[in-house]
Amino acid sequence: MEFETWWLLALPLFFGLGWVAARIDIKQLVSESRRLPSSYFRGLNFLLNEQPDKAIEAFIEVVKVEKETVELHFALGSLFRRRGELERAIRMHQNILDREDIAPEQRLMAVFELGQDYLKAGLLDRAEELFAKLGGTSYEQRGLKYLLEIYEQEKDWEKAIRTSRMMDAITGESSAKDIAHFYCELATGELTHQRYDAALAYVEDALAMNRKCTRANMILGDLHVARGDSDAAIEAWKRIESQNPAYLSLLADRLLAAHRKVGRESQGIALLRGYLEQYPSLDLLNVVFQAVLETAGTGDAQALLRDELRRNPTLIGLSRLIEVQLAEAPVERRHDLELTRNLIQQHSRGLSLYKCDTCGFRARQFYWHCPACHGWETYPPRRAEERDLAA
Ligand SMILES: [Zn+2]
């Protein structure tokens, strides 16, 4: 009895469905929904709900089922690379390259992307091979940029020079300043292996690229010292004043040592005091202060610090002055001085660092090549406190 009732209710529904089916091309609907697999919508849904991991799984499903989704391959590939999942990124981009039915522009893009995957994975040889394939294509300039990055990492300065020159030929810009540094790197390498003539030739190349390259003159001075000619070293270093006097502070100690070597210590100190007068600098002050302390005693050294503090009031300078006073202070004053010194040192800790102009990376050591942003000569030869004062 119940069975029959069910049939009676269902019959009009079947008629209704038939009526709808006649008006909509069900075949077309079915084929369209096949073209976009359900996992695609699932993936979109996960993305909208900010569940990227589940979204990726769903999109991978689509990529497996639908071989034609090149754009989705690219999107997933760069997403994986950004997340550091390099193996997956490589697989995505390699999948595209393995196909024969893609457009030439898509093939270039796949080579470019795969090169970046390998570079990020530290597989420099493979990355280099891929970027080199982009020569003469619409990706050439972008490829050269990465090639340069690879050669800098590998410290292959000859290739870095060639690549920079190729880039300049395309962009019309000048990398002369950077190329001068590449020659300086080559010169330093030759100098450490005591091949002085080769080092000298590279120093000259650096100066030919950029006559204001202070680093080249610094290396030239080191070269003369290595050859036992302190007078020539002093002359080379003194020429930095006409290039960029701020860099004199970086070699103040070397200048003084060279003067001492030829028995002209007081002349060296006078030279540095003259520089300090004209180009105030904490590094320079440090070297002059030590020299005065050793040769003329604490009275003169303190007078020097007080004069300098009046001109350029810095915490680092003040801390040094208290340090000297502490050494001579009677026992009952020591405790207070120590307190003051510790407090100042605590507050000036970050102020004694060098700071990259491009990325802001701070370092105790001076760098010609920023370890963080890989820019060349982005560190001014000044401690953070002096730069904050000048700003
Ligand atoms: Zn930097």
Side-chain angles (χ1 to χ4, degrees), residues 3 25 43 67 70 83 349 387:
F3 180 75
D25 191 342
K67 301 285 184 205
V70 176
R83 290 160 57 98
R349 199 168 291 151
R387 303 189 50 210

Side-chain angles (χ1 to χ4, degrees), residues 355-361 369-375 378-379:
K355 188 172 144 200
C356 172
D357 257 350
T358 308
C359 72
F361 185 78
H369 189 208
C370 177
C373 71
H374 307 299
T378 53
Y379 282 84

